[in-house]
Amino acid sequence: MAYNEDLEKFNELIESFSKLPTIGKKTAIRLAYHICTGNRFESIKLAHNIENALHFIKPCQQCGALSENELCGICVDKERNKDTLCIVQTPKDILTIEESKSYQGFYFVLNELDGDKLIKLEQMILKLNCKEIIFALPHSLNSDAIIFFIEDKFKDLNLQFSKIAQGIPSGVSLENVDMISLNKAINYRTKLEN
Ligand SMILES: [Zn+2]
């Protein structure tokens, strides 16, 4: 029997690590050894933090950002600009845009567009009474179709539609764009013809 073959739990741990983004097989093995031979308290704390995150962190009922409450910190923030609503693909994109400090409005996380999402989006537009929808989606044919669909769906609400533009190369996700490019992309967004 080869070394490690009888370590069923250990191999399962390696497998779990290797399913995480950016973690290859070698790193997964290194992490598994670290967990099993390193500081035991830190490893238990890690397991506990993962469990807690899964238990307490849920999508914000209004915008879909990650939150520990029914509504996220941005949705309850009275200082934010109600005129603009920025549509992003994932909750992580909100963090990226917030770090660029180039936007003060609200967000809506699209993930997959379905009937339920459309209802939530409409509710949010009406509640904010916003004037502009900014699409901050990764450039792709699918995004173009979604933008077209949403514009058409809400064409009677008297909204300006814009798309973040310069500096975001096709197929690159927001988190990989540098802050200066992202800042420009938001400030010099392109207005879409209604
Ligand atoms: Zn929210």
Side-chain angles (χ1 to χ4, degrees), residues 117-133:
K117 274 281 156 56
L118 273 179
I119 293 168
K120 283 201 159 162
L121 177 58
E122 184 170 17
Q123 281 171 347
M124 196 164 176
I125 292 170
L126 295 175
K127 187 180 165 192
L128 294 174
N129 192 20
C130 63
K131 314 271 182 289
E132 182 182 4
I133 303 283

Side-chain angles (χ1 to χ4, degrees), residues 60 62-65 72 75:
C60 166
Q62 182 167 260
C63 75
C72 72
C75 281

